[in-house]
Amino acid sequence: MFRLGLGWQPHPGMLALARRPVHELARATGATVGIFVLREGRALTAAAVPGEWESFAPMRAGMTFPWTTAAGKVLVAGAPPELPVDPPSRTWTREAAGIREAGVAVDRQEVAEGVCCVAVPLHGQRGTAVAALCALVDPSQPLSSLTASVMRTGRVIGAAMQGRPGR
């Protein structure tokens, strides 16, 4: 059952399609990179590639994090409103609208001191977010260039998942 569970994916072949772009993103940025899905109101790591700060912020497949991480926010912002999550803050509606509009969520040491994250949704065949691509770095790294890299990689993976050539 454990092996069967490890093979579960929200989109057929998603992890295979994402493998190369995720490794390239980790290599190019030094970030620890992961693919996340929502599971029981938490961000579940479906796959991870260690980066330069792996020892400080380890990430492995099967680990869960609060939905308030950048990856979780991207997924909850695009999910149906009845999704069961911990009570959101009073400003969540506005923040979620901003995430959907920008197509990215950023966490500047909000969940864990010394860890910054950038996450984008990965869209499946119907255009709905089925997973999130997230990159973790230490706070000394410029998030603007990381954001651009994560968004570009997210578009490549999303295009592959939708059966289109990458952009």
Side-chain angles (χ1 to χ4, degrees), residues 38 67 72-85 92 96 99-100 121 128-130:
L38 275 179
W67 75 265
K73 286 180 179 182
V74 160
L75 293 167
V76 172
E82 65 274 3
L83 179 76
V85 295
W92 171 245
I99 291 168
R100 286 189 300 274
T128 36
V130 296

Side-chain angles (χ1 to χ4, degrees), residues 81-109:
E82 65 274 3
L83 179 76
V85 295
D86 293 334
S89 68
R90 290 184 304 211
T91 61
W92 171 245
T93 303
R94 190 172 340 126
E95 185 179 358
I99 291 168
R100 286 189 300 274
E101 184 178 321
V104 65
V106 177
D107 171 352
R108 291 178 177 88
Q109 303 185 79

Side-chain angles (χ1 to χ4, degrees), residues 116-129:
C116 293
C117 307
V118 174
V120 299
L122 298 176
H123 299 283
Q125 299 263 334
R126 294 190 175 108
T128 36

Side-chain angles (χ1 to χ4, degrees), residues 141-157:
Q141 301 303 301
L143 292 185
S144 58
S145 60
L146 179 64
T147 299
S149 296
V150 172
M151 291 180 86
R152 190 172 33 258
T153 302
R155 284 192 301 270
V156 168
I157 296 168

Side-chain angles (χ1 to χ4, degrees), residues 3-151:
R3 283 192 204 118
L4 181 62
L6 287 177
W8 175 85
Q9 300 176 57
H11 179 279
M14 176 186 70
L15 296 179
L17 294 169
R19 184 172 292 118
R20 184 178 195 178
V22 164
H23 278 85
E24 289 173 355
L25 178 62
R27 196 170 27 259
T29 63
T32 295
V33 181
I35 304 279
F36 291 82
V37 296
L38 275 179
R39 173 93 170 114
E40 298 176 359
R42 295 180 58 84
L44 169 70
T45 311
V49 174
E52 294 172 15
W53 299 278
E54 169 45 303
S55 61
F56 182 73
M59 186 191 321
R60 302 275 181 272
M63 292 178 76
T64 61
F65 298 91
W67 75 265
T68 53
T69 61
K73 286 180 179 182
V74 160
L75 293 167
V76 172
E82 65 274 3
L83 179 76
V85 295
D86 293 334
S89 68
R90 290 184 304 211
T91 61
W92 171 245
T93 303
R94 190 172 340 126
E95 185 179 358
I99 291 168
R100 286 189 300 274
E101 184 178 321
V104 65
V106 177
D107 171 352
R108 291 178 177 88
Q109 303 185 79
E110 295 162 28
V111 176
E113 188 174 333
V115 179
C116 293
C117 307
V118 174
V120 299
L122 298 176
H123 299 283
Q125 299 263 334
R126 294 190 175 108
T128 36
V130 296
L133 171 67
C134 184
L136 289 75
V137 294
D138 86 350
S140 69
Q141 301 303 301
L143 292 185
S144 58
S145 60
L146 179 64
T147 299
S149 296
V150 172
M151 291 180 86

